[in-house]
Amino acid sequence: MVEEPTFEELFRQAKHSAVHLEMRDGYMRSDPSFISWQHDPGSLLSEWDPESRPWLALMQEITNRGVEVRRARVFSEPMSDYLRFEHCLTPANIAAGEQVRWLPRRRASDLALPGNDFWLFDDSLVVFLHFTGEGELSPEGDEERTAEPSVVRLCSAAFESVWRRAVPHEEYRPV
């Protein structure tokens, strides 16, 4: 049996694109960085360092070789504390090569969106992410992969419709 690539390997195997649609108002509230930020918003200085955030190093690596990484967030206003935390971290993601946009949920009401957050790699593989109601990764299995063409088309169209309406990070100010 052939072992599936890890999530990190999927990024390293990407040839031209990796897009991410996030639609929750909170994630991983047990994250020590989030907890620290709640007590001291100035505590995020280390979060800008690729040494302390391996995600940033990975994004630099793949965007430097020409892979376009885009992230779109659909969210409720006023913004949750967790998304305010993410908004504060986003400039580091952008510095590492990601493009990020924000779409207030009330501007997405007429868009057909999948039921779960996902990553779409090279317009050919969708990785759905499953979370508990509290925003933690699901213990029953946190991801589901599919290359089913109809699902890939749905996710690609959903992402692009959000991306067209969303506000670039540099222009969005949390409400």
Side-chain angles (χ1 to χ4, degrees):
M1 184 159 113
V2 176
E3 204 171 301
E4 287 189 328
T6 65
F7 200 58
E8 186 175 315
E9 289 170 340
L10 290 174
F11 285 96
R12 289 203 165 96
Q13 293 171 3
K15 292 176 180 47
H16 60 84
S17 66
V19 301
H20 186 32
L21 184 60
E22 296 179 8
M23 298 178 287
R24 298 182 54 86
D25 287 323
Y27 299 88
M28 312 296 284
R29 291 180 179 106
S30 63
D31 177 349
S33 295
F34 173 59
I35 294 166
S36 177
W37 174 84
Q38 287 180 299
H39 299 292
D40 176 14
S43 67
L44 291 180
L45 292 178
S46 68
E47 299 297 325
W48 286 69
D49 179 12
E51 293 295 317
S52 65
R53 267 181 80 199
W55 177 260
L56 298 178
L58 178 61
M59 290 303 98
Q60 285 177 331
E61 174 190 327
I62 69 166
T63 59
N64 283 345
R65 66 177 173 78
V67 175
E68 180 180 54
V69 179
R70 296 184 294 158
R71 179 188 304 260
R73 293 178 171 135
V74 177
F75 63 98
S76 301
E77 288 181 312
M79 190 180 268
S80 71
D81 283 347
Y82 190 87
L83 286 186
R84 286 181 189 283
F85 164 71
E86 281 196 341
H87 191 272
C88 289
L89 288 177
T90 297
N93 292 62
I94 291 169
E98 283 190 53
Q99 299 172 54
V100 180
R101 292 187 181 182
W102 301 83
L103 182 63
R105 193 173 310 284
R106 64 178 59 250
R107 293 191 52 218
S109 296
D110 63 340
L111 300 179
L113 302 174
N116 294 292
D117 291 10
F118 64 84
W119 277 96
L120 173 60
F121 294 93
D122 291 331
D123 291 316
S124 61
L125 176 68
V126 176
V127 179
F128 288 109
L129 302 172
H130 299 288
F131 296 91
T132 67
E134 295 298 317
E136 303 296 325
L137 289 170
S138 176
E140 289 89 32
D142 57 0
E143 68 177 56
E144 171 188 351
R145 298 177 184 194
T146 182
E148 172 61 40
S150 63
V151 176
V152 168
R153 282 191 303 275
L154 167 76
C155 291
S156 179
F159 181 86
E160 293 304 331
S161 66
V162 168
W163 188 257
R164 282 189 298 275
R165 282 192 192 175
V167 178
H169 176 77
E170 298 79 10
E171 297 172 23
Y172 181 76
R173 299 295 168 255
V175 175

